[in-house]
Amino acid sequence: MKKIKFLLVACLLGIAATASAQFANSKSSSNGGSGNSSSLENWQSIKVSYMPVTFDGDGGGEIDFSGAMISYLKGYAISQDMPLFVETGLGVSWIGGEIEDTEVDLNFFSVNVPVNLGYKYAFNDKCSIAPFVGITLRGNIFGNYKFEGESLNAFDEDEVGEESKLKRFNFGWQVGLGVNINSLYIGASYGSDFNEIIENGKGIVPQITLGLNF
């Protein structure tokens, strides 16, 4: 998992560096222009993400799960001169899987509200890149543990105990980069929770995203 994190961060940094150099070259060759005018327009998108989530405990233990999310997002241009934008919206996610070395399955659903600040540089009318950084408020609305046919409420301390109880709300951060080709969006991001989702455990959330802009 640590190698995956390193490779993801290195990839994002490498793409961002390439984009920065491309922007500098474009600016010098276009008499100070700040990129294609499409960079300054608002947009909407529907996105689907795959999330190989990890709960990282203070004691060094990790529990790996699978996850997926579908979301609606809208980007707002916040400058008439630079392609800066704020992106926000609403997503519904599922995270779950069998806890390693046990026969216990955990599944829970969340509502996610991200707020990202980004920079969108358009190479032309069909292709652009957009690095971003942001925060996400997550409300965990339903969850259960399943063991030997029995289902337990993951938010009820009396049923699952204090150490296994999930928190209702999480607040986290993310950094990533998206590529837009015509109306197609392809992106990758990496993030983590500020607060614990479970006692002594915070969520680490890489994402691979496909979307449609309109």
Side-chain angles (χ1 to χ4, degrees):
M1 188 66 187
K2 291 181 178 179
K3 290 183 179 180
I4 294 175
K5 297 175 190 175
F6 175 79
L7 290 174
L8 178 58
V9 172
C11 181
L12 290 174
L13 290 175
I15 295 174
T18 302
S20 177
Q22 176 67 32
F23 173 71
N25 291 335
S26 176
K27 185 175 181 180
S28 63
S29 63
S30 60
N31 297 321
S34 59
N36 191 280
S37 61
S38 63
S39 303
L40 308 177
E41 298 175 356
N42 298 343
W43 74 92
Q44 302 176 76
S45 61
I46 297 292
K47 297 179 179 179
V48 178
S49 302
Y50 167 67
M51 307 183 299
V53 179
T54 297
F55 288 173
D56 190 11
D58 290 343
E62 294 184 349
I63 305 175
D64 295 326
F65 294 98
S66 296
M69 179 167 61
I70 183 170
S71 56
Y72 165 81
L73 297 168
K74 186 166 184 177
Y76 300 89
I78 58 176
S79 172
Q80 295 181 351
D81 302 315
M82 296 183 63
L84 295 173
F85 65 87
V86 170
E87 182 183 55
T88 187
L90 186 69
V92 177
S93 63
W94 163 82
I95 294 173
E98 183 176 303
I99 299 174
E100 188 176 0
D101 297 328
T102 74
E103 296 181 359
V104 178
D105 286 316
L106 170 63
N107 293 274
F108 66 97
F109 292 86
S110 306
V111 174
N112 305 268
V113 180
V115 180
N116 296 315
L117 176 64
Y119 182 95
K120 185 179 181 182
Y121 177 69
F123 296 99
N124 51 51
D125 290 336
K126 297 182 179 180
C127 182
S128 65
I129 59 172
F132 63 87
V133 61
I135 57 176
T136 292
L137 177 63
R138 183 185 306 113
N140 303 311
I141 57 176
F142 171 80
N144 61 26
Y145 290 97
K146 289 186 178 181
F147 178 68
E148 294 183 347
E150 184 178 6
S151 180
L152 303 175
N153 185 348
F155 303 101
D156 190 331
E157 184 176 333
D158 292 335
E159 291 192 24
V160 300
E162 182 178 359
E163 293 185 354
S164 299
K165 176 186 174 183
L166 295 185
K167 307 294 174 61
R168 283 289 185 181
F169 296 97
N170 291 97
F171 187 53
W173 61 269
Q174 62 273 345
V175 59
L177 184 136
V179 177
N180 301 286
I181 304 173
N182 291 322
S183 59
L184 177 66
Y185 175 90
I186 305 171
S189 67
Y190 175 82
S192 181
D193 291 334
F194 289 120
N195 63 316
E196 296 176 347
I197 188 171
I198 196 170
E199 185 172 321
N200 297 320
K202 297 180 180 180
I204 297 174
V205 190
Q207 292 188 44
I208 300 172
T209 302
L210 293 175
L212 182 67
N213 299 320
F214 56 95

